[in-house]
Amino acid sequence: MAKRNRGELFANLLSAPQSNFDSDVNPVSYEACRVSGFITKVFEIFSDDQHSNLCCWGRDGKTILIRKISEFEAVILPMYFKHSKFASFVRQLNMYAFHKTVANPQIAEFHHQYFQRGRTDILHLIKRKARSGSKAVDEEDLAAQQQQQQLSMPPSVKGGSRVGARNGSMTALRSRGQVGGGG
């Protein structure tokens, strides 16, 4: 493989192929063809023969192998990412549905059905897993809870703020002798 500038070989992965937009038959959307920056970088790392003493493709080209984890973390990760933590790298792989294939703590091997040596044409099929809890749903739940709390408050408390309502409740309890003096 000829030497190249970092990212040059895979720059086309971040843009949609023009031929798909020119075709009238079954056009592919831009979003469907995009490859994430993380996946592009990982493909580049394992395709670069200069890193083969630390990391490489598995024998069959369907797995990626990290031979020297501590050196990979110290040398390779800072070249491609803002962080240099192997655990963060593995977490990202897991978010894209990569699976660890060996239990050996000295080496790490990962597999994804669409991450294969020389197959840049299928990288766009690798998608990040959706978050388990949607922020929009969480906000709706919070709004519903707040509305329910407002409905269950006595009319004298509804008009005030939470702090005011709490202070008002404390004052009422103090006047009844149910709580200690003011502070």
Side-chain angles (χ1 to χ4, degrees):
M1 187 180 266
K3 286 201 172 196
R4 64 199 182 282
N5 292 333
R6 191 173 136 217
E8 183 180 312
L9 179 62
F10 305 105
N12 65 329
L13 294 175
L14 296 174
S15 63
Q18 291 298 315
S19 61
N20 288 335
F21 291 110
D22 296 337
S23 172
D24 289 335
V25 180
N26 196 14
V28 178
S29 72
Y30 176 72
E31 289 298 318
C33 294
R34 289 183 57 187
V35 177
S36 81
F38 176 77
I39 296 299
T40 302
K41 289 177 184 180
V42 173
F43 194 91
E44 186 175 339
I45 289 168
F46 289 92
S47 297
D48 191 336
D49 293 334
Q50 293 177 353
H51 308 310
S52 63
N53 62 325
L54 302 178
C55 61
C56 61
W57 289 98
R59 289 179 196 237
D60 63 357
K62 294 183 180 184
T63 61
I64 52 176
L65 182 67
I66 301 167
R67 295 177 173 159
K68 299 177 182 176
I69 294 172
S70 59
E71 291 179 47
F72 179 83
E73 182 177 49
V75 176
I76 304 299
L77 291 180
M79 288 173 57
Y80 291 88
F81 302 104
K82 294 177 185 175
H83 65 82
S84 61
K85 294 182 177 128
F86 184 70
S88 296
F89 178 75
V90 171
R91 182 174 173 268
Q92 283 277 32
L93 287 175
N94 290 333
M95 289 173 73
Y96 283 94
F98 281 75
H99 300 284
K100 193 167 184 177
T101 60
V102 295
N104 184 343
Q106 303 301 316
I107 61 170
E109 185 177 39
F110 296 91
H111 173 264
H112 190 289
Q113 67 178 347
Y114 299 123
F115 198 82
Q116 299 173 17
R117 179 178 35 218
R119 295 291 312 269
T120 58
D121 61 311
I122 58 175
L123 290 179
H124 70 277
L125 298 172
I126 302 173
K127 302 295 180 199
R128 188 172 173 164
K129 291 179 186 177
R131 287 180 25 192
S132 59
S134 162
K135 184 177 180 180
V137 171
D138 293 343
E139 288 174 356
E140 288 173 9
D141 289 346
L142 181 60
Q145 287 173 359
Q146 288 174 343
Q147 185 177 14
Q148 186 63 34
Q149 287 174 349
Q150 285 289 331
L151 292 173
S152 64
M153 288 182 185
S156 61
V157 176
K158 284 185 185 176
S161 69
R162 286 186 184 270
V163 174
R166 228 180 281 130
N167 289 342
S169 298
M170 291 301 290
T171 304
L173 291 172
R174 278 191 203 110
S175 68
R176 290 187 213 139
Q178 295 176 339
V179 204

